[in-house]
Amino acid sequence: MGGTQRTQAGGTNSIRRGTSGRDGRGGLGNVLSGIAVAIGFALFLGGFVWGALVYQPYTVPTDSMVPTVKPGDRVLAQRIDGAEVRRGDVVVFTDTAWSNSPMVKRVVAVGGDTVSCCGQGGRLTVNGKELDEPYLDRAGVEAVGTGTTFEVKVPEGNLFLMGDRRGASLDSRAHLQDAGQGTVPRSAVEGRVDALAWPSMRMVDRPGNFSALPGGTSAPGPLRLQVAAVVAGAALVVLGAAYGPVARVLGRGRRRGPAGAR
């Protein structure tokens, strides 16, 4: 009896080990799949949480930033300090002299700059250099040249802001008679627009036309890295969760193969 029991125990153990290996419920593969799912969840949730901490969504109500941003577009603005703003940035700001609601405009000059309008073909001039602005609504460029002419020395700590649809934008030009000649304090900035989230999804590029001026242009935010973390996390979760069922299906196929041959 003792021998029989040892044989049965040994046989049972052998069957369990074989089953575990064949149907994917154990072994190294199962451990690795569990690790993949855990890392995937961490990346997926971490990317979302990181994004929520760094970015704020806004809905754009007007057409002053066409074609860069259209009315009703949902944008993602990186929460930054106003001191980080550079020329060319599209920013969200609130200034009660303009409106009690957040507004979206492009920074064309910063403290210490002299901005004037208009050069050849309606071009803006910053510190004596005419700007080539490829992001503008081309239909409104000539309207800039025939509109209000100005020359403003931007106070330190302030920004001069304009819409990309120059022919239909109420921006710093509409406040030239205000204190600061239409400029806005850097402290009024709530965020820098990095991307459109709805109805299309794309990054808002940093224009190169300001890069030669002192201070250059700002670096992109971490949005691409956050999206990559979310996508990679989702992929790891799916792959890790799929390991067990796939291993069981393959295991059954291997067991049925010899039986079918007989």
Side-chain angles (χ1 to χ4, degrees):
M1 292 179 63
T4 304
Q5 289 174 347
R6 283 195 298 272
T7 303
Q8 289 174 344
T12 302
N13 288 338
S14 176
I15 291 172
R16 285 175 181 170
R17 286 194 296 269
T19 302
S20 175
R22 287 194 299 266
D23 66 8
R25 293 196 302 270
L28 180 60
N30 229 23
V31 171
L32 293 177
S33 69
I35 293 173
V37 170
I39 294 174
F41 269 120
L43 286 173
F44 186 81
L45 295 177
F48 269 114
V49 171
W50 185 15
L53 292 174
V54 174
Y55 286 94
Q56 172 72 38
Y58 292 90
T59 300
V60 178
T62 70
D63 63 354
S64 67
M65 283 299 294
V66 170
T68 305
V69 184
K70 299 178 177 62
D73 281 357
R74 192 80 164 167
V75 300
L76 294 177
Q78 182 185 1
R79 295 182 174 97
I80 60 168
D81 186 88
E84 300 177 51
V85 173
R86 301 288 183 268
R87 302 176 194 88
D89 287 345
V90 177
V91 297
V92 179
F93 67 98
T94 301
D95 190 313
T96 54
W98 293 40
S99 171
N100 290 322
S101 301
M103 303 187 72
V104 180
K105 303 292 180 188
R106 187 181 296 273
V107 177
V108 297
V110 298
D113 288 343
T114 297
V115 56
S116 59
C117 180
C118 293
Q120 183 178 5
R123 289 185 176 184
L124 286 182
T125 300
V126 176
N127 300 335
K129 178 183 178 181
E130 289 188 0
L131 296 180
D132 180 19
E133 300 181 274
Y135 44 77
L136 293 183
D137 174 29
R138 305 316 302 176
V141 172
E142 293 300 326
V144 177
T146 58
T148 303
T149 59
F150 60 85
E151 181 171 299
V152 174
K153 175 76 171 180
V154 182
E156 290 294 339
N158 282 25
L159 307 167
F160 197 90
L161 301 137
M162 298 181 73
D164 287 356
R165 193 175 189 184
R166 297 285 162 82
S169 175
L170 294 175
D171 45 41
S172 287
R173 296 169 297 169
H175 298 271
L176 293 173
Q177 304 307 314
D178 297 351
Q181 293 184 278
T183 62
V184 171
R186 285 180 177 269
S187 58
V189 173
E190 301 174 13
R192 177 173 53 215
V193 176
D194 256 8
L196 274 70
W198 179 265
S200 60
M201 296 183 65
R202 63 178 176 82
M203 300 297 293
V204 174
D205 296 328
R206 303 290 193 268
N209 54 328
F210 295 98
S211 57
L213 295 173
T217 55
S218 61
L223 184 60
R224 283 192 174 95
L225 186 58
Q226 292 165 352
V227 171
V230 170
V231 172
L236 283 173
V237 170
V238 170
L239 291 174
Y243 170 79
V246 171
R248 283 193 291 273
V249 170
L250 294 177
R252 292 191 191 103
R254 284 195 298 269
R255 289 197 301 273
R256 289 170 182 169
R262 289 194 297 270

